[in-house]
Amino acid sequence: IRDIGKSYGGTYIFENITFEINEGERIGIVGPNGCGKSTILKLLAGEESLDHGAIHLKRGTAAGLLSQMPVIEKETEVYDALLGAFAKERQLQVRLTEIEGILAREHDELKMQSLLRQYGEIQEQFERAGGYELDSRIMKVAAGLGLEPLLRKAFGELSGGEQTKIGLGLLLLQKPDLLLLDEPTNHLDILVVEWLENYLLTYEGTIVIVSHDRFFLDKTVGKMIDLDGGEIHVYTGNYTAFIKEKEKRLLIEFAEFKEQQKKIKKMPIH
């Protein structure tokens, strides 16, 4: 992320901000309300455009952002909405079913051999993608997030908080390379938060979290980005380590400021 700037209505919320995210890192972003934390996540996800600067992602990186209100048709059952995380696997499944139907009607030996070869190749792809475990993968996340009682309900029947939880479940099942979470513990009870903490500890991708939940950040991140007054400071460690380091930095800056003021007072007035 190099020299990025973003403004709304002609007023910059930040500009000339530079930092980097390394593969596999778990990063927390903190700062006062309105400083642009959520905007940074939207820029990383490609949901908003930069006014200036550049964001370079490694080629082929899929980024996924937790939206507070996921876009899902009202009449869609929750289970089917979660199944939507596996578009590639489902395409392969449909193709396998099609070939099975053709094979049942086909009598030409050569055509049957060709179809069986195709079937074997697609079946191998389907297996490699974990296609036979789709239901168990959905049920694992649904159980962890407490979604089991909602699975057969229509998405439109759910409360705003429940819909946000479905969005989180969908995102976790998609497993993007760059997982961007904006206040993920909102609407979650303590047991679900604990499950999410453990889930993220074994997550294979890179994670960036905006959160006011210091306990959650303590458990899940190893690097902190502090965005304040349009400036950015990067700290190694979790939230507790960041608070201690920030305090030290501010004390040093204050001491330097006082020293500077002393020198100014001693300067001769012309």
Side-chain angles (χ1 to χ4, degrees):
I1 295 97
R2 189 174 299 124
D3 294 326
I4 63 168
K6 181 68 182 173
S7 66
Y8 292 107
T11 305
Y12 273 95
I13 49 170
F14 55 76
E15 53 183 327
N16 303 322
I17 279 178
T18 297
F19 63 97
E20 66 177 38
I21 297 167
N22 297 305
E23 207 167 343
E25 280 188 321
R26 274 90 169 105
I27 295 172
I29 302 181
V30 291
N33 288 338
C35 70
K37 303 183 297 291
S38 298
T39 301
I40 284 179
L41 293 190
K42 286 175 184 169
L43 291 168
L44 287 169
E47 289 191 6
E48 292 218 7
S49 56
L50 288 162
D51 287 354
H52 62 76
I55 293 174
H56 300 287
L57 295 180
K58 181 180 164 186
R59 186 171 292 170
T61 298
L65 172 63
L66 171 64
S67 304
Q68 293 306 320
M69 204 49 67
V71 182
I72 295 167
E73 296 288 329
K74 284 183 180 180
E75 60 278 6
T76 306
E77 275 195 3
V78 167
Y79 183 89
D80 292 333
L82 295 174
L83 198 56
F86 305 111
K88 182 187 159 193
E89 292 89 338
R90 289 174 77 197
Q91 280 176 350
L92 293 171
Q93 200 171 27
V94 167
R95 186 66 188 128
L96 287 173
T97 307
E98 283 173 359
I99 294 172
E100 283 166 11
I102 297 166
L103 279 168
R105 300 187 300 272
E106 188 58 67
H107 301 293
D108 184 294
E109 192 69 32
L110 284 172
K111 281 182 183 175
M112 282 182 79
Q113 282 178 9
S114 171
L115 284 165
L116 284 167
R117 265 198 307 276
Q118 267 187 66
Y119 190 85
E121 286 166 11
I122 295 167
Q123 194 175 36
E124 197 180 316
Q125 286 177 50
F126 185 66
E127 201 170 335
R128 266 204 315 271
Y132 290 110
E133 294 96 47
L134 295 191
D135 186 64
S136 63
R137 284 158 75 182
I138 288 171
M139 294 313 293
K140 179 189 169 186
V141 168
L145 292 175
L147 302 176
E148 287 167 309
L150 309 176
L151 290 176
R152 290 301 161 203
K153 286 190 173 184
F155 184 73
E157 291 173 24
L158 308 181
S159 68
E162 287 169 338
Q163 290 184 351
T164 302
K165 279 169 80 172
I166 303 304
L168 177 57
L170 185 59
L171 187 61
L172 296 179
L173 288 167
Q174 286 167 339
K175 291 188 174 177
D177 308 306
L178 179 58
L179 180 64
L180 305 165
L181 300 175
D182 194 354
E183 299 293 352
T185 59
N186 282 3
H187 313 294
L188 303 185
D189 61 39
I190 291 167
L191 288 176
V192 175
V193 170
E194 283 177 6
W195 176 86
L196 182 59
E197 286 167 359
N198 291 323
Y199 186 92
L200 295 179
L201 289 176
T202 58
Y203 192 81
E204 288 173 11
T206 305
I207 305 170
V208 182
I209 302 168
V210 166
S211 179
H212 285 95
D213 187 337
R214 62 184 64 191
F215 303 108
F216 182 72
L217 289 173
D218 264 348
K219 294 275 178 65
T220 53
V221 307
K223 181 171 165 182
M224 293 291 300
I225 289 174
D226 184 26
L227 182 59
D228 195 357
E231 289 185 2
I232 211 159
H233 294 277
V234 180
Y235 299 84
T236 302
N238 63 8
Y239 186 87
T240 300
F242 144 71
I243 288 296
K244 287 177 185 169
E245 287 303 310
K246 182 174 182 176
E247 210 170 82
K248 275 187 207 168
R249 180 179 68 78
L250 292 175
L251 285 170
I252 290 165
E253 283 180 7
F254 184 61
E256 286 171 353
F257 171 75
K258 284 207 315 193
E259 194 58 39
Q260 193 183 38
Q261 291 303 303
K262 279 182 195 171
K263 285 177 183 172
I264 290 167
K265 279 178 183 175
K266 286 178 184 175
M267 285 171 74
I269 299 166
H270 295 291

